[in-house]
């Protein structure tokens, strides 16, 4: 008990010192940005860090952050013993009191919906069109999130047992009565909106064609693909063999047709500006992929193209020069004198 209280005191001391350091750093950031420290919010802190320490890294976990210590450090349990040395929680000796209390509450919810069904049957009430819980576009919380709620570690078996109990609730005829409780352990998934496929347009000769606009860094490409072609590719009124002398760039342009098994079926007319040859070739590939996905392939192929990265613009850009450095990463040579 004494050791637990000592750990708790050390944790509180750490949080207090980190809170003071956070407030001090926030005031410095506000002064650097020329704003009032008293009205400098967390959103202002994030904006200041993005401006002062820009990064082209797409993974947010690798970017510099400054958060309050309560959000950064995992919570710690309060003292679990009273002044007389007895444990405060009635499930203390299970070694996972918070987890088993959660299981106890969940099982109580299961009994509640089961009792409702039994009372209906005893009263002779039969309802055939029972409304189930709509769990579409959502998923159960993961093991890490459950551990954060319990503030204690749990095993994979315990996690599976908890989800199985929740599944039993959702399978009951009157599960709607426990919907609010069940949704505490569900995360809504971001829906991927399906684009409405546009009808194919036809020119004077009856050939179908489609437009697509691609981008890569500062390169911008406008692409027209025409069906019933021979695989001819023209870039800025020049054959792409002459426009792109490097074989790798020509392979990039033709890759979408190879991916959907439509080689030599379309003629391509592209207009590109800005950027270098590699960026222009990638922009044309992006435009061709968008044109194909809008008209000439089915939804399954569109999803495969999306997973292959053909329909997503490459967000990488040139990293800006940093203050006090020779470039984005390069530093000035250090001299002893």
């Amino acid at each position: 008990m004494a050791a637990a209280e000592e750990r708790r005191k050390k944790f509180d001391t750490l949080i207090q010192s980190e809170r003071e350091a956070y407030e001090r750093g926030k005031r410095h950031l506000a002064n650097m940005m020329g704003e009032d420290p008293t009205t400098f919010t967390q959103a202002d802190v994030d904006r200041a860090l993005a401006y002062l320490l820009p990064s082209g890294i797409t993974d947010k976990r690798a970017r510099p952050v400054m958060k309050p210590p309560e959000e950064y450090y995992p919570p710690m349990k309060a003292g679990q013993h009273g002044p007389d040395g007895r444990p405060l929680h009635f499930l203390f000796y299970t070694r996972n009191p918070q987890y088993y209390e959660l299981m106890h509450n969940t099982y109580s919810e299961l009994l509640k919906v089961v009792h409702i069904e039994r009372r209906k049957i005893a009263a002779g009430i039969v309802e055939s069109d029972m409304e189930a819980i709509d769990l579409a576009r959502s998923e159960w919380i993961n093991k890490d999130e459950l551990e954060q709620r319990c503030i204690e570690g749990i095993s994979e078996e315990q996690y599976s047992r908890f989800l199985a109990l929740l599944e039993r609730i959702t399978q009951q005829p009157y599960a709607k009565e426990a919907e609010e409780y069940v949704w505490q352990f569900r995360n809504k998934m971001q829906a991927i909106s399906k684009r409405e496929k546009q009808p194919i347009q036809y020119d004077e000769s009856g050939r179908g064609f489609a437009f697509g606009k691609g981008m890569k860094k500062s390169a911008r490409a406008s692409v027209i693909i025409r069906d019933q072609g021979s695989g001819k590719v023209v870039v800025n009124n020049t054959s792409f063999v002459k426009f792109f002398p490097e074989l790798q760039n020509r392979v990039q342009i033709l890759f979408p047709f190879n991916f959907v098994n439509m080689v030599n079926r379309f003629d391509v007319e592209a207009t590109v500006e800005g950027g270098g040859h590699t960026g222009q070739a990638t922009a044309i590939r992006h435009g061709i992929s968008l044109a194909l996905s809008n008209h000439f392939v089915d939804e399954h192929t569109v999803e495969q193209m999306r997973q292959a990265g053909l329909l997503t613009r490459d967000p990488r850009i040139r990293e800006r020069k940093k203050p006090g450095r020779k470039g984005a990463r390069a530093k000035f040579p250090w001299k002893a004198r």
Side-chain angles (χ1 to χ4, degrees):
M1 181 180 67
E5 290 296 331
E6 184 66 21
R7 288 195 300 269
R8 180 67 189 186
K9 289 180 181 179
K10 289 183 179 180
F11 180 78
D12 293 339
T13 304
L14 173 65
I15 292 296
Q16 183 177 0
S17 62
E18 291 293 329
R19 166 57 72 174
E20 294 174 357
Y22 170 77
E23 295 294 338
R24 184 165 57 251
K26 191 167 70 169
R27 288 196 300 270
H28 289 328
L29 276 179
N31 293 332
M32 293 172 66
M33 299 298 293
E35 299 188 19
D36 186 5
T38 58
T39 59
F40 205 65
T41 62
Q42 181 60 41
D44 298 327
V45 171
D46 297 338
R47 177 174 51 83
L49 289 178
Y51 175 77
L52 297 173
L53 301 171
S55 174
I57 301 176
T58 56
D59 193 344
K60 295 183 179 180
R61 295 174 297 180
R63 298 178 183 175
V65 295
M66 190 174 77
K67 299 288 185 182
E70 294 82 4
E71 297 183 15
Y72 184 78
Y73 289 96
M76 189 175 183
K77 289 184 180 179
Q80 301 185 47
H81 297 80
D84 55 356
R86 294 183 176 182
L88 299 176
H89 203 286
F90 72 102
L91 295 173
F92 173 79
Y93 291 106
T94 62
R95 299 182 60 184
N96 295 102
Q98 303 295 335
Y99 167 77
Y100 284 107
E101 182 181 8
L102 183 61
M103 289 288 289
H104 175 76
N105 296 336
T106 306
Y107 187 71
S108 299
E109 292 292 327
L110 175 62
L111 292 180
K112 182 180 73 173
V113 296
V114 170
H115 290 164
I116 293 176
E117 180 185 9
R118 290 177 178 176
R119 287 198 300 267
K120 295 282 188 180
I121 295 176
I125 301 175
V126 179
E127 299 181 8
S128 57
D129 53 344
M130 297 301 303
E131 184 179 0
I133 302 178
D134 184 12
L135 301 179
R137 297 179 297 278
S138 66
E139 60 183 356
W140 296 114
I141 61 175
N142 55 38
K143 180 174 174 290
D144 294 335
E145 292 175 317
L146 185 60
E147 287 180 340
Q148 291 178 2
R149 296 197 184 191
C150 295
I151 321 180
E152 57 191 17
I154 61 174
S155 64
E156 290 289 345
E157 182 181 358
Q158 290 174 327
Y159 174 68
S160 301
R161 198 180 304 152
F162 176 68
L163 293 188
L165 189 57
L166 289 173
E167 291 286 355
R168 285 187 60 188
I169 295 177
T170 60
Q171 295 170 1
Q172 301 301 317
Y174 293 90
K176 195 73 173 176
E177 300 294 333
E179 181 178 16
E180 183 177 354
Y181 182 82
V182 169
W183 271 105
Q184 296 179 17
F185 308 100
R186 300 284 296 187
N187 290 330
K188 292 186 177 181
M189 300 173 62
Q190 185 176 2
I192 300 177
S193 58
K194 293 185 178 180
R195 294 175 300 172
E196 184 178 354
K197 185 172 290 189
Q198 301 294 329
I200 299 177
Q201 304 180 52
Y202 296 91
D203 56 13
E204 296 82 1
S205 59
R207 297 174 60 189
F209 66 94
F211 293 94
K213 291 186 177 181
M215 294 180 289
K216 167 66 186 228
K217 292 187 177 179
S218 59
R220 301 291 185 272
S222 297
V223 180
I224 302 177
I225 60 173
R226 300 184 184 276
D227 200 0
Q228 303 176 14
S230 58
K232 181 180 178 182
V233 180
V234 177
V235 180
N236 290 353
N237 298 323
T238 305
S239 173
F240 84 131
V241 176
K242 296 181 179 180
F243 193 89
F244 294 106
E246 295 185 4
L247 177 63
Q248 181 181 358
N249 294 331
R250 301 198 294 269
V251 171
Q252 284 289 326
I253 293 175
L254 297 178
F255 179 73
F257 298 123
N258 288 316
F259 189 83
V260 298
N261 297 322
M262 295 183 180
V263 181
N264 297 330
R265 173 178 166 179
F266 297 91
D267 290 337
V268 179
E269 301 173 8
T271 303
V272 64
E273 60 182 5
H277 277 183
T278 302
Q280 290 177 346
T282 307
I284 295 174
R285 187 190 75 169
H286 186 211
I288 293 174
S289 302
L290 292 177
L292 286 173
S293 66
N294 283 332
H295 300 278
F296 297 103
V297 294
D298 55 16
E299 291 296 335
H300 178 68
T301 307
V302 170
E303 184 61 29
Q304 290 181 336
M305 294 176 68
R306 181 180 292 109
Q307 293 178 3
L310 293 176
L311 305 181
T312 305
R313 180 195 173 189
D314 190 348
R316 295 176 296 178
I317 60 175
R318 182 181 183 275
E319 192 172 350
R320 57 159 279 188
K321 178 186 178 299
K322 306 299 188 306
R325 293 189 178 185
K326 188 176 181 180
R329 301 292 178 89
K331 300 180 181 178
F332 293 105
W334 182 82
K335 297 181 180 180
R337 295 175 179 83

